[in-house]
Amino acid sequence: DVSKIDSVVINWPSGIRQVIPSLPIYQVHEIEEHVIYVPQGAVVWTEPANPTQFDDVTVYFNAQEGDGGLAGFTGEVYAHTGVITSQSGNSGDWKYLIADWGTSDPRIRYDRIEDDLYSLSFNITQYFGIQAGDQVEKLAFVFRNANGSITGRETGGADIFADIAPAGDELKVAFSKPSENKIVFEGASFTVDVQASKNARITVWNNEEEIYNDSLQNASFSFTPDEVGTNMLRVEARSGGQTVSKETSYSVWASSN
């Protein structure tokens, strides 16, 4: 059974291309054209601004800014991307790289919104697989074509960075594992990792069945699903009158045996 659509792409008459991820099915959705604010001089920016590592974000890349290396490029654009954490020795010490240089990995392919403007939406902790205890300080990027022969960088050829804010006192929660839209075979187990910004009562459901409940900051456990098809994991964290939640989907493929 399918519970949601991976994404809906709308090409508006204005020329804006809007990508809306993870829409539930069997519901009526009213969608308004998203007018994108393009900050003058910015190579990369995020919505929301000043996100924490637990947040869902949309990253925008303006190929006309910085060194302009990808300005006017009409092929597919990818991001060589990782993060700067509290464990990084310097700005070149990237952690949690998503893919190797020169690979056309679909996880790092950005959507073209209009000429020279690109975006990708993800949850920071889940996308990079941030481990418990690591503090993300910056997102790091070099944009490129598929084989890396053409790049888009900051002015002067420097790497591109976007600042990540500390969570502060606000309660946040995110999945670190599994990755979004993970695929497993029937009978196989996978690890569920959940991180909260502080100690909380953490409850995890698989579809409608509760599979985990404990009071702590970071939870990790092995889970064996029993339903073939698309399934939904949901985590809820409660602390001090605050309640927050996150969802992620995964698919179970029937065994050929």
Side-chain angles (χ1 to χ4, degrees):
D1 293 336
V2 176
S3 62
K4 68 176 184 176
I5 298 169
D6 288 340
S7 64
V8 171
V9 180
I10 303 172
N11 294 301
W12 296 97
S14 65
I16 288 177
R17 183 174 185 267
Q18 187 171 351
V19 180
I20 304 168
S22 303
L23 276 179
I25 63 174
Y26 305 122
Q27 297 182 22
V28 176
H29 300 277
E30 183 176 342
I31 300 171
E32 296 183 356
E33 182 176 0
H34 178 48
V35 178
I36 300 169
Y37 169 67
V38 180
Q40 185 175 4
V43 186
V44 160
W45 67 97
T46 63
E47 288 186 1
N50 304 312
T52 76
Q53 68 188 61
F54 301 95
D55 289 335
D56 299 333
V57 298
T58 299
V59 175
Y60 293 94
F61 166 56
N62 186 349
Q64 294 182 1
E65 299 294 346
D67 69 358
L70 284 168
F73 181 68
T74 58
E76 292 184 332
V77 167
Y78 297 81
H80 186 64
T81 186
V83 296
I84 302 299
T85 75
S86 54
Q87 303 301 313
S88 297
N90 52 60
S91 62
D93 187 11
W94 295 18
K95 308 294 187 183
Y96 299 104
L97 288 168
I98 298 292
D100 292 334
W101 184 266
T103 60
S104 52
D105 191 313
R107 295 174 299 168
I108 57 172
R109 184 178 63 241
Y110 272 57
D111 295 311
R112 179 179 285 105
I113 303 170
E114 57 187 62
D115 290 347
D116 291 334
L117 186 61
Y118 303 84
S119 74
L120 186 66
S121 298
F122 52 84
N123 177 273
I124 294 172
T125 292
Q126 187 176 31
Y127 183 64
F128 290 102
I130 305 301
Q131 295 180 7
D134 278 357
Q135 301 298 313
V136 179
E137 298 175 351
K138 296 177 184 292
L139 306 182
F141 308 91
V142 172
F143 292 88
R144 58 172 176 80
N145 65 343
N147 65 16
S149 60
I150 307 172
T151 62
R153 302 172 182 262
E154 272 285 6
T155 303
D159 295 341
I160 303 167
F161 297 101
D163 290 335
I164 300 301
D169 292 331
E170 186 177 0
L171 180 61
K172 303 272 190 176
V173 70
F175 286 100
S176 177
K177 294 178 181 178
S179 57
E180 181 70 16
N181 299 319
K182 181 179 179 66
I183 297 173
V184 296
F185 284 99
E186 187 178 11
S189 300
F190 61 87
T191 299
V192 178
D193 282 351
V194 172
Q195 297 178 32
S197 55
K198 56 185 175 182
N199 285 334
R201 169 62 68 175
I202 292 178
T203 308
V204 181
W205 290 268
N206 178 62
N207 300 321
E208 301 299 323
E209 179 187 2
E210 183 179 308
I211 58 173
Y212 185 90
N213 193 316
D214 202 354
S215 292
L216 69 181
Q217 184 172 356
N218 304 304
S220 182
F221 59 96
S222 180
F223 175 66
T224 305
D226 57 9
E227 293 187 32
V228 172
T230 300
N231 296 269
M232 183 70 66
L233 288 173
R234 181 169 68 90
V235 60
E236 181 182 272
R238 291 178 284 117
S239 177
Q242 299 181 74
T243 301
V244 293
S245 63
K246 277 285 192 306
E247 292 183 344
T248 189
S249 64
Y250 69 93
S251 295
V252 178
W253 287 4
S255 174
S256 59
N257 293 334

